[in-house]
Amino acid sequence: MHFPLRKLAAIDIGSNAVRCQISAVLHYEGRYRLKRVEYVRFPMRLGEDVFATGHISKPKEDQFVKFLHSLRLLMEVHGVAHYLVCATSAMRSAANGEAIVARVRKELGMEIKVIDGQDEAFYINRVIEHVLEDKRHYLHIDVGGGSTEFNIYHDRRKVAAQSFEIGSIRRMQEEESGQNTAGQAELWARMEEWVRHNARQYHVTRAIGTGGNINKLYSLTPAAPSKAVTRRSLETTLDRLAGLSMDERVNVAMLNPDRADVIVPAGHIYLSAMQWANVSSMVVPDIGLKDGMLQALFEDYFDEMNPEAGHPARLPVPDLQNTPAELE
């Protein structure tokens, strides 16, 4: 039996991977929900090129355009009503980023929105509020391949935000080269100072972690599902992974290769931020940029989807089901 569903899609072009999520808008007994019906992740690794050479290579560019073409076809098959494509640190840092965006527009008819750290925080803020508890003050940490975003929530209200061009791929390349440039050291020091100052000023008591690497780290800890994980537990898990070779991380810990090499550098950023903020636990809700993008699409096109209902009193419940482990 055919059951019509209104579908929205978000494509997140990150420095490590490109993710596409297609969600259906459900409405039942006066409540809206965004339910995931398709999820695709591909380790494009744009950041490997950009953070080493300053631009995206021609072979990588061609692969990127081909993959976006496949996502366009996937959205057509699903009958997606509206979609949003956002690119983050790698694309905005690439010398040829604008040219690639123009090529995608010309060849595929798809518009890529290149966003900065503030835009990333804006989208994520739309869904992170659903997991905040009353009378708790949070440090939100989102580590990507090329940048790390921090947000401070005080009594459910965002009061401070800052983006730093430090991410998992940048840290991995720095560690592999054995070089720690003065610029990176200074940036790391500024990041520490920002976290310490704002955590103290707003009396932060807990961290919230988003991003693929913290989701995977969380899944490897003994923490109960949907429960906060302790800093000590994360440290133990990260130390165990750091002691494994790449071959062991892939074949024993069962990590995908594109996750196995960046998870330790990313983990060090999360744990360092927790230490600076003097917090001992972290909530890991498995939400991120794509979820905020879907939320924005829902709000932007709500009148079109249900013109007689008026604007909803409540935003839709975000799709918090776990991404299958094999896709991480």
Side-chain angles (χ1 to χ4, degrees):
M1 180 181 72
H2 177 68
F3 189 86
L5 291 173
R6 195 72 164 176
K7 296 178 183 177
L8 305 172
I11 299 175
D12 169 12
I13 301 169
S15 300
N16 192 41
V18 177
R19 301 171 181 84
C20 173
Q21 181 168 315
I22 299 174
S23 291
V25 179
L26 305 183
H27 182 226
Y28 185 68
E29 295 184 345
R31 191 175 182 85
Y32 289 88
R33 182 176 181 85
L34 299 177
K35 182 182 185 302
R36 181 167 59 224
V37 295
E38 189 80 63
Y39 178 80
V40 179
R41 177 186 182 275
F42 184 75
M44 187 64 62
R45 282 289 171 99
L46 297 178
E48 274 191 336
D49 282 1
V50 176
F51 305 142
T53 67
H55 70 279
I56 297 170
S57 66
K58 189 60 167 64
K60 185 79 72 174
E61 175 186 336
D62 292 340
Q63 183 187 36
F64 173 69
V65 173
K66 185 178 295 185
F67 183 62
L68 282 190
H69 188 193
S70 72
L71 294 182
R72 192 189 73 173
L73 294 175
L74 180 64
M75 291 190 295
E76 289 178 5
V77 170
H78 270 280
V80 168
H82 299 286
Y83 67 91
L84 180 61
V85 186
C86 289
T88 56
S89 182
M91 190 65 74
R92 68 176 177 254
S93 300
N96 57 339
E98 290 185 7
I100 293 174
V101 169
R103 177 184 172 185
V104 169
R105 183 189 303 118
K106 179 179 179 181
E107 295 184 13
L108 303 179
M110 299 174 71
E111 191 66 42
I112 297 175
K113 184 178 181 181
V114 181
I115 62 175
D116 60 20
Q118 289 186 334
D119 291 326
E120 286 189 63
F122 171 77
Y123 282 119
I124 296 175
N125 184 62
R126 290 172 177 249
V127 288
I128 206 77
E129 63 184 24
H130 291 282
V131 300
L132 300 179
E133 297 179 20
D134 291 329
K135 301 188 185 303
R136 276 193 182 273
H137 313 313
Y138 295 88
L139 169 66
H140 172 222
I141 312 163
D142 184 83
V143 179
S147 65
T148 296
E149 322 301 329
F150 292 112
N151 299 285
I152 302 286
Y153 293 90
H154 186 267
D155 291 334
R156 290 184 173 269
R157 182 171 57 92
K158 186 163 76 170
V159 293
Q162 187 64 50
S163 177
F164 294 90
E165 293 297 299
I166 295 176
S168 60
I169 293 180
R170 291 184 195 268
R171 292 288 290 176
M172 177 189 69
Q173 291 178 335
E174 183 180 294
E175 291 174 3
E176 288 180 345
S177 67
Q179 298 178 347
N180 185 10
T181 65
Q184 283 295 303
E186 180 184 355
L187 190 58
W188 186 267
R190 285 199 288 112
M191 185 166 72
E192 177 180 352
E193 173 58 27
W194 189 93
V195 172
R196 287 188 184 276
H197 172 75
N198 285 278
R200 183 169 55 250
Q201 179 177 353
Y202 294 107
H203 310 290
V204 165
T205 57
R206 177 171 284 185
I208 296 180
T210 57
N213 286 299
I214 194 63
N215 288 339
K216 177 54 66 175
L217 273 173
Y218 179 77
S219 73
L220 296 174
T221 69
S226 302
K227 299 296 184 181
V229 61
T230 66
R231 191 170 85 198
R232 178 171 294 183
S233 182
L234 287 172
E235 287 174 342
T236 300
T237 301
L238 192 63
D239 287 345
R240 179 168 59 86
L241 289 175
L244 300 177
S245 65
M246 270 293 294
D247 191 47
E248 290 171 326
R249 293 182 197 179
V250 172
N251 293 289
V252 179
M254 300 300 290
L255 300 178
N256 284 342
D258 67 288
R259 181 71 68 204
D261 57 355
V262 295
I263 193 168
V264 173
H268 285 153
I269 299 175
Y270 285 105
L271 285 171
S272 294
M274 291 180 73
Q275 180 182 8
W276 299 335
N278 194 30
V279 294
S280 60
S281 64
M282 174 185 282
V283 178
V284 185
D286 192 18
I287 54 179
L289 177 59
K290 59 182 172 48
D291 302 284
M293 293 163 61
L294 288 166
Q295 193 89 349
L297 282 171
F298 172 84
E299 295 173 27
D300 289 344
Y301 293 101
F302 177 78
D303 287 342
E304 174 187 309
M305 291 182 285
N306 197 353
E308 297 179 358
H311 286 286
R314 290 181 298 178
L315 296 178
V317 178
D319 186 356
L320 301 181
Q321 59 184 313
N322 292 327
T323 301
E326 63 270 16
L327 296 179
E328 289 296 333

